């Protein structure tokens, strides 16, 4: 299986707002001279509505349904287990979905099993490259690069020289966020202190969907002196944002989508920026490639060179930091700065 690099230029506009769940939607292809393409997407237990990772994937599916005239089926894993995730994938494949897209690395074991059962179905998985099969494609992102940029923003905005990082679950993927964030902050101030907390550890993956944990951990970081908190914790981030909003002068940094746009009125002014992980474009482009006839497995990578990651600029408070952030972005693009992944 060969490794492939995404060459297409990604769209810069982010749709980070939550969309209502859609069980099945159709786009008529009557008269267009080709069979209907049915795309299945399997979310993990958090499902759509997390205003983060799953919603970004859903936005890409929504765009594909509108622009590519496909039919779609969406399911959410009924159990937090490999068996439950495998059954969700089987449900889609049996129903005629091809391709089937699994949202998140927790589907890796299930994909490895179900892809063998349905060799004529193309499976795509986000954030995992452990399954090597002719009918499995991995969609990977350079989270460390986007995190480096928001880490730099955090150090610039901090008055205390002390910032916080909250990871949802202590796994290598989230360690990439932490590594980039810490390196970015220290590129601005090599004395900055980065306080790191994780909400859970495997086999407990509840840290991605526990707003109460996010709120209490963020409150402790703030009480200890951090004045900027970056939450790479999926749905738990909403709780962290609430804790930040309760502390005058503190800043929150979002993840995956532009969470300034989806935050409540009370929280929104305190969301300085977000690390953009363009899962929406990854999903859309994989579907688009399938429509055009690309049915090959392999690896596709989304980094700064294709706008696969970045940072949000919706909050006007970020404007004074943007010139320096843009210089940092170009230094990463040029290779002058190599961002660590761990």
């Amino acid at each position: 299986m060969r490794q492939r690099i995404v060459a297409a230029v990604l769209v810069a506009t982010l749709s980070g707002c939550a969309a209502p769940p859609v069980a099945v939607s159709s786009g008529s292809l009557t008269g267009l001279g080709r069979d209907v393409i049915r795309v299945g997407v399997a979310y993990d237990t958090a499902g759509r509505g997390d205003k983060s990772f799953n919603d970004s994937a859903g936005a890409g599916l929504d765009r594909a349904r509108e622009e590519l005239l496909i039919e779609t089926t969406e399911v959410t894993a009924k159990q937090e287990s490999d068996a439950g995730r495998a059954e969700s994938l089987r449900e889609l494949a049996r129903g005629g979905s091809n391709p089937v897209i699994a949202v998140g690395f927790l589907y890796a074991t299930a994909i490895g099993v179900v892809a063998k059962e349905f060799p004529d179905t193309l499976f795509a998985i986000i954030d995992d490259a452990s399954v090597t099969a002719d009918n499995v494609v991995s969609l990977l992102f350079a989270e460390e690069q986007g995190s480096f940029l928001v880490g730099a923003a955090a150090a610039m905005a901090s008055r205390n020289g002390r910032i916080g990082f909250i990871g949802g679950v202590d796994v290598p993927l989230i360690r990439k966020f932490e590594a980039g964030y810490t390196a970015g902050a220290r590129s601005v101030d090599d004395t900055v202190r980065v306080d790191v907390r994780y909400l859970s550890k495997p086999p407990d993956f509840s840290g991605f969907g526990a707003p109460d944990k996010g709120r209490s951990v963020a409150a402790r970081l703030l009480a200890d002196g951090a004045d900027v908190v970056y939450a790479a914790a999926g749905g738990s981030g909403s709780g962290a944002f609430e804790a930040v909003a309760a502390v005058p002068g503190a800043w929150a940094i979002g993840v995956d989508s532009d969470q300034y746009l989806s935050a409540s009125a009370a929280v929104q002014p305190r969301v300085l920026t977000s690390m953009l992980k363009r899962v929406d474009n990854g999903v859309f482009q994989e579907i688009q490639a399938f429509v055009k006839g690309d049915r090959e497995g392999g690896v596709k990578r989304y980094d700064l060179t294709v706008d696969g990651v970045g940072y949000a600029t919706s909050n006007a408070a970020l404007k004074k930091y943007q010139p320096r952030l843009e210089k940092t972005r170009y230094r990463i693009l040029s290779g002058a700065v190599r961002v660590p992944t761990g």
Side-chain angles (χ1 to χ4, degrees), residues 141-157 163 165 173-190 192 194 228 230 232 253-256 272-277 303-304 309-312 318 321-322 324-342:
F141 295 80
E143 297 92 353
E144 72 282 359
Q145 293 181 349
S147 296
F148 189 98
L149 294 170
V150 300
M156 286 184 251
I163 62 178
F165 174 85
L173 173 65
I174 306 302
R175 289 282 180 181
K176 288 172 64 181
F177 290 80
E178 177 197 337
Y181 180 68
T182 298
R186 289 180 177 158
S187 74
V188 172
D189 177 2
D190 60 8
V192 71
V194 184
V228 184
Y230 175 33
I253 294 178
V255 74
D256 296 333
L272 178 65
T273 184
S274 298
M275 195 287 281
L276 302 181
K277 180 174 176 177
D303 59 14
L304 277 178
V309 294
Y311 66 96
L318 188 75
Y321 307 125
Q322 278 186 254
R324 190 169 179 180
L325 290 174
E326 283 302 291
K327 289 180 181 177
T328 300
R329 186 171 71 88
Y330 285 122
R331 284 176 58 78
I332 296 172
L333 287 169
S334 71
V337 171
R338 295 191 176 275
V339 182
T341 58

Side-chain angles (χ1 to χ4, degrees), residues 120-143:
D120 295 328
T121 298
L122 181 69
F123 293 85
I125 182 168
I126 298 168
D127 287 345
D128 181 82
S130 65
V131 182
T132 55
D134 291 341
N135 63 330
V136 175
V137 59
S138 299
L139 309 181
L140 304 181
F141 295 80
E143 297 92 353

Side-chain angles (χ1 to χ4, degrees), residues 234-259:
S236 300
S238 62
F241 291 173
E242 291 171 4
V244 170
V247 177
W251 291 108
I253 294 178
V255 74
D256 296 333
S257 63
D258 186 349
Q259 294 189 315

